[in-house]
Amino acid sequence: MRKNTVIIFIFNFVFVGMLCSQKGDNYFGIQSGINYNMTYTNESINATHHFKHGCIVGLNYEKDVSSKWSLNFELNRTENKSTIENYSTFSYNSQVGITATTIGKVEFHEENNQFMIGFKRYFTESRRMFLELGWDIKFLHENIGQWNYQLTTIYNTSDIFNPILLDEPEVRTINSSYFRNGGYLGMNIGIGYKLQVGEKLRILCKGRFSNQIKKPEESGGIILRNVEALIGLQYVVKGHSRNK
């Protein structure tokens, strides 16, 4: 996972270096903010969700490609939190005749390294208000989640010398770490505003909505969704002249 993050960072660094030499201004900045986790589960899982706040901190780079459009890159560390009650799973092994169900409470908490690419569309000549559209990927940095659940296992003929009847299931209560399967690929849309505070400095304020693109069954029925609010500071590096 860390190797993938390093590769993404190197690729981003090289690509940004190439863009800097092209026409149009360059904006380098830092940002931080909060996210409101709106994680949900597949309809087949009758779970109850309690949303929590997380945090975001990172770097951003923006390149003007026309008078109204710009290309954007971000590298962030994100934190996602939520509580999922009555989360359940079901599995069946036909080879040994085992049916297992779990139901319990998930304390979802993970930190991710996020890489985002997107576009900004400015609406005014002053290039202050904009609409942002893009996609992002996240690589797990640290899993801190916990899962307290009840495991019910029903054996059919798993052991021919000591069979357990179907009406005698084994029930255990387990408290373990919770690890979400799969990575993250998401689409996001947002709106923001830039405030000029000097010849070279801009204050960046924006909010966006992000939703994971993944089939529910591929991630244990859990899909990540969140709303983010960010504020940052950008430094302007003038590029080659461009007719606007």
Side-chain angles (χ1 to χ4, degrees), residues 118-241:
F119 294 90
K120 282 190 179 76
R121 170 62 162 87
Y122 290 92
F123 295 106
T124 61
E125 293 296 330
S126 60
R127 294 175 59 86
R128 293 186 177 181
M129 192 171 184
F130 60 85
L131 178 70
E132 186 179 62
L133 178 67
W135 59 270
D136 60 304
I137 56 177
K138 292 179 180 177
F139 302 97
L140 183 66
H141 173 75
E142 184 177 5
N143 171 59
I144 321 172
Q146 297 294 320
W147 191 9
N148 185 279
Y149 63 93
Q150 185 181 78
L151 172 64
T152 302
T153 306
I154 301 177
Y155 299 86
N156 187 0
T157 57
S158 57
D159 186 347
I160 60 176
F161 299 105
N162 186 26
I164 301 177
L165 300 178
L166 292 177
D167 58 352
E168 295 182 6
E170 177 188 5
V171 181
R172 291 185 294 163
T173 299
I174 301 174
N175 189 356
S176 66
S177 60
Y178 174 77
F179 185 82
R180 183 176 57 88
N181 294 325
Y184 177 96
L185 173 63
M187 290 291 295
N188 55 78
I189 184 171
I191 191 168
Y193 186 84
K194 278 188 179 181
L195 178 63
Q196 184 172 343
V197 294
E199 182 181 356
K200 295 286 188 178
L201 293 178
R202 306 288 187 273
I203 293 179
L204 174 67
C205 302
K206 64 180 179 180
R208 64 186 176 208
F209 171 79
S210 178
N211 195 93
Q212 183 180 10
I213 305 173
K214 201 171 185 68
K215 293 181 179 180
E217 60 269 20
E218 294 179 359
S219 56
I222 295 179
I223 299 296
L224 300 187
R225 172 186 287 173
N226 58 74
V227 176
E228 301 173 342
L230 295 165
I231 185 170
L233 186 66
Q234 289 185 323
Y235 179 79
V236 184
V237 178
K238 295 294 183 178
H240 299 291
S241 62

